[in-house]
Amino acid sequence: MYREEGDTVTLRVALQPSEAAVIILARGGHAPSAAASQAGLRVDRQRLVARATSAGTYTTTLPGGRTVRTEIGAVPEARTLTSWRLQVEDMTPDGVKRHDLELDGLKAWPDIPELADVSGIGTYTTTVDWTGGGALLELGEVLDTCRVTVNGHRLPVSVIVPVVDIGPWLRRGANTIEVEVATTLNNRLRVCDPGVYGGASRQRYGLIGPVRLVPYGEAVVSTR
């Protein structure tokens, strides 16, 4: 959303601590825009699309001050994803050791006996049955770096705000969601080289969550 007045462009940017944004201004083009909206907005070709995670009527102020209303229909309830398969590549001085676990709830690795002093790469996999529409994947607490794959499509994740729009890659029926987490070497070094690292505290590695799938509804904003 932005407001254009002569040679001046005014826009609002909301960032979390340590986040950054790149804003590009270019001449030409006639993409639709808005000065303000109660809903989230995105541009789809020459259409302005409103998005919200709950049903309702949302007001949008267009350039020039005209106000329009957009109706978004029923949106399914958010769901928490608790059942995961966790496969870990454990980095040890003698090479990679593998762990394969079934989880009915997410925990930090130090709270899982098999992974208490493990460092490495963990891949969390779950299957979600979907009836259609878009959704955000909220990862909750995750340490350290991570990436998300949905039905084979790898998606970027902000480590500051780990929320991913997976709507374009969801399909009706079964969907496979993978979250790969890479840790530091701290927890392994504590036990394999205690003379140097023994004083370090265990870090809360892994996908700790809660992980939520938050559906959203969309509707085209009338800009004419």
Side-chain angles (χ1 to χ4, degrees):
M1 293 181 289
Y2 66 89
R3 184 175 69 256
E4 186 175 356
E5 296 175 342
D7 293 332
T8 302
V9 175
T10 303
L11 69 160
R12 181 179 179 182
V13 179
L15 298 174
Q16 297 293 326
S18 301
E19 279 194 309
V22 176
I23 299 169
I24 300 175
L25 302 179
R27 296 184 180 276
H30 302 283
S33 64
S37 182
Q38 294 176 328
L41 296 177
R42 67 180 181 88
V43 175
D44 179 14
R45 298 175 185 174
Q46 292 301 309
R47 304 185 306 169
L48 194 61
V49 179
R51 172 185 293 181
T53 56
S54 59
T57 301
Y58 295 85
T59 299
T60 299
T61 302
L62 301 177
R66 185 165 68 92
T67 298
V68 297
R69 294 184 175 183
T70 306
E71 186 78 24
I72 292 181
V75 179
E77 293 290 329
R79 66 173 88 168
T80 301
L81 307 182
T82 56
S83 298
W84 298 84
R85 180 184 183 186
L86 171 57
Q87 296 173 294
V88 175
E89 297 179 15
D90 178 3
M91 306 302 176
T92 77
D94 299 322
V96 176
K97 181 180 178 181
R98 301 187 186 277
H99 306 268
D100 196 337
L101 306 171
E102 296 290 337
L103 305 178
D104 57 8
L106 292 172
K107 300 178 181 179
W109 288 12
D111 298 328
I112 301 173
E114 298 91 332
L115 305 179
D117 293 305
V118 167
S119 294
I121 299 173
T123 302
Y124 296 77
T125 305
T126 191
T127 301
V128 176
D129 191 56
W130 196 245
T131 57
L136 302 174
L137 183 67
E138 297 181 350
L139 298 182
E141 184 180 356
V142 57
L143 185 72
D144 198 27
T145 59
C146 65
R147 57 188 180 187
V148 169
T149 303
V150 178
N151 296 325
H153 299 275
R154 183 167 292 171
L155 309 177
V157 186
S158 166
V159 296
I160 306 299
V161 184
V163 179
V164 187
D165 180 6
I166 65 173
W169 294 274
L170 288 173
R171 60 196 180 204
R172 290 184 179 272
N175 293 264
T176 300
I177 298 175
E178 293 183 356
V179 181
E180 184 182 271
V181 179
T183 77
T184 70
L185 291 175
N186 176 82
N187 290 4
R188 175 56 67 190
L189 290 173
R190 287 178 67 254
V191 293
C192 72
D193 193 356
V196 177
Y197 299 99
S201 300
R202 281 175 173 161
Q203 290 183 312
R204 287 171 52 81
Y205 290 157
L207 180 61
I208 303 167
V211 177
R212 298 201 314 150
L213 199 59
V214 183
Y216 57 74
E218 291 188 321
V220 176
V221 177
S222 177
T223 57
R224 296 182 179 180

